[in-house]
Amino acid sequence: MTHDVLIAGAGPNGLMLACELALAGVRPVVLERLSAPSLEPKANGLVGQVIRLLDHRGLYERLGGGPGTPRPAPAFVFGAFPLDLHRLEANPLHTLPVPQHRIEEVLGAWARELGVTVRRGCEVRAFTQDDDGVTVDVHGPDGTERLRARYLVGADGGRSTVRKLAGIGFPGVTSPDPVSRVAHVLLPDDVRANAAGELVLPGCPTPFRPFTHTRTEHGVFVVAPLGPDATLVATMEWGGEPVDESEPATLDELRASIRRVTGADLALAPARTPGPHILRRQCGHNTRLAERYRQDRVLLVGDAAHVHAATGGPGLNLGLQDAANLGWKLAAELRGWAPPGLLDSYQRERHPIGRRVFMHSQAQMALMSSGPAVTALRALFGELLSHEDNLARIAALMAGSDIRYDSDCPHQLAGRFVPDLPLVTAAGPTRLAEAARSARPLLLDLDGRGAELTDLVAGWKDRVDVVSASCPEPPAGALLVRPDGYVAWATGPGEADPDGLTRALRTWFGEPVAVRF
């Protein structure tokens, strides 16, 4: 039996890709090395444009967001600078606090609803490629078996076996600094909150804003109250004494680090919540980007393609959008309607975004490091952030909303993630995000040209949906939206561009089929 797609890794990125493929009519098989989902604390939430993508799939509310359009975050952080985003007229940055194990739980349930097969305890050990597919050696509970698939996708993390076996280089930067320590703890009673909601530590004149990074002259301190029985605290230090990494981290070690960074001596106690609890140390950081995201019939998504510092939480925003970008293109290839070069556009579109996260994650680490030169740099950077246009640029960078894919369409929305427009259709009020739940290409008619557009798209009706609606302040007369939420073509209100629409349909969704009347 030949499978359509084998996906190595059942983390968020692998599961998201599997669901995208299933929505497009492809039945992937997910191979996961672990026999059960991991409860190890990892990411604490979602940041950026991925939240709007998940709203397109009906997952935002399932992950704990409220009903309706996701609301932007009033504040965030960049390189230990607080970003007061309420100052922005158009704030692009969204956040959703949800632990990674819950994200995997929700995506796993969605995968089951869509009929995706997830095989646990199965590890990819080797593979060979030919012109028609990939032959994969998989070690599982019953020994080693050989599976055949048309494509193999590595979603197996930063130490990706698939990437290594494919011979794809992973260049980047490895630094011994900083040394990071983090734990769930109980803080002593003499830690109090001031009128601004900041935490004041005994013996320390600097108050600390919760849920953000605060730089001192000696490092970075983070404090995040999680309720009466647990607080997450973390430190980052540069240029300290060498650490014996073979020794496990302890609360006494963290207490000493807090004292060096803040000047406060805190009597830390273990958290009282059921757990699992974090108590760990990490020496240095690793920033790497795969040389390419595709090697013939093998592709990479998520951490298998890029690793970086977690500051600002860009990882899932980047990886889950990799999956959404790849999913519909790979499905189009498998179903036979992909135009030439569509699958290669995954590399063209997503690799530069990986480079951009590579850049800003390193920039943030540099801004948080110790030393008088960095302090001077921060003074200048703080002045720049006092200007609204600079604040907006940093917010867009962290959100990923500054992404604009190449397009020959001149409309300002072309190549960008589509706004969530309030719509009124024949069935009643809705939102564009709700109209996109099928994950199919969508031609949105806001000018009342329904019959004309339906005729133009007739040859693509097997793969493109047409929705006619009114909108209070339409930004376009019509929009062609890709399954990953990005605008492939648009035209102004009252304008017609049949040639541009036909060109975009052929570019992204292949040749039309013959229509019989």
Side-chain angles (χ1 to χ4, degrees), residues 124-149:
V124 173
R125 293 282 181 88
F127 63 79
T128 57
Q129 296 194 63
D130 55 47
D131 291 343
D132 299 317
V134 189
T135 302
V136 185
D137 290 342
V138 179
H139 183 75
D142 299 322
T144 299
E145 62 180 316
R146 184 159 288 179
L147 301 178
R148 179 76 176 167

Side-chain angles (χ1 to χ4, degrees), residues 379-431:
L380 175 60
F381 203 87
E383 288 183 16
L384 294 174
L385 284 178
S386 69
H387 294 272
E388 209 167 279
D389 55 344
N390 293 328
L391 178 62
R393 289 197 66 171
I394 293 294
L397 175 69
M398 296 306 293
S401 62
D402 57 348
I403 295 171
R404 186 173 189 178
Y405 295 141
D406 288 342
S407 172
D408 64 359
C409 176
H411 195 278
Q412 62 180 356
L413 289 179
R416 298 192 181 278
F417 199 90
V418 67
D420 188 25
L421 305 174
L423 305 175
V424 178
T425 68
T430 187
R431 297 184 293 127

Side-chain angles (χ1 to χ4, degrees), residues 252-269:
D252 285 342
E253 177 187 343
L254 177 60
R255 179 180 182 179
S257 180
I258 293 172
R259 187 166 55 246
R260 290 191 297 269
V261 171
T262 70
D265 190 9
L266 302 182
L268 303 177

Side-chain angles (χ1 to χ4, degrees), residues 232-407:
L232 185 142
V233 296
T235 62
M236 301 169 69
E237 295 182 84
W238 282 258
E241 294 295 322
V243 175
D244 184 354
E245 296 186 54
S246 66
E247 292 292 325
T250 66
L251 288 184
D252 285 342
E253 177 187 343
L254 177 60
R255 179 180 182 179
S257 180
I258 293 172
R259 187 166 55 246
R260 290 191 297 269
V261 171
T262 70
D265 190 9
L266 302 182
L268 303 177
R272 286 195 295 256
T273 51
H277 296 137
I278 297 173
L279 176 55
R280 65 174 177 244
R281 172 203 317 114
Q282 178 176 326
C283 296
H285 73 277
N286 208 12
T287 307
R288 297 188 176 278
L289 179 66
E291 289 177 338
R292 54 193 179 279
Y293 286 7
R294 180 185 181 190
Q295 181 64 47
D296 302 321
R297 289 181 175 268
V298 176
L299 300 111
L300 305 175
V301 296
D303 290 355
H306 37 67
V307 295
H308 41 75
T311 303
L316 288 174
N317 189 22
L318 183 59
L320 292 173
Q321 289 199 79
D322 286 347
N325 186 290
L326 175 60
W328 70 273
K329 296 174 180 178
L330 186 53
E333 191 76 24
L334 289 163
R335 298 187 67 189
W337 57 258
L342 180 67
L343 193 53
D344 287 331
S345 73
Y346 171 60
Q347 161 80 18
R348 289 198 304 272
E349 292 186 338
R350 296 306 299 172
H351 198 266
I353 311 307
R355 283 201 303 270
R356 195 155 177 76
V357 173
F358 187 110
M359 174 272 290
H360 77 64
S361 63
Q362 285 191 289
Q364 290 187 78
M365 295 301 287
L367 284 167
M368 292 191 293
S369 60
S370 303
V374 176
T375 300
L377 176 62
R378 289 182 64 84
L380 175 60
F381 203 87
E383 288 183 16
L384 294 174
L385 284 178
S386 69
H387 294 272
E388 209 167 279
D389 55 344
N390 293 328
L391 178 62
R393 289 197 66 171
I394 293 294
L397 175 69
M398 296 306 293
S401 62
D402 57 348
I403 295 171
R404 186 173 189 178
Y405 295 141
D406 288 342
S407 172

Side-chain angles (χ1 to χ4, degrees), residues 89 111 123 147 157 182 188 213 224 267 284 355 371 390 417 427 442 448 450 456 489:
E89 183 177 348
E123 181 179 8
L147 301 178
V182 59
H213 295 71
R355 283 201 303 270
N390 293 328
F417 199 90
L442 176 68
L456 275 171
W489 168 88

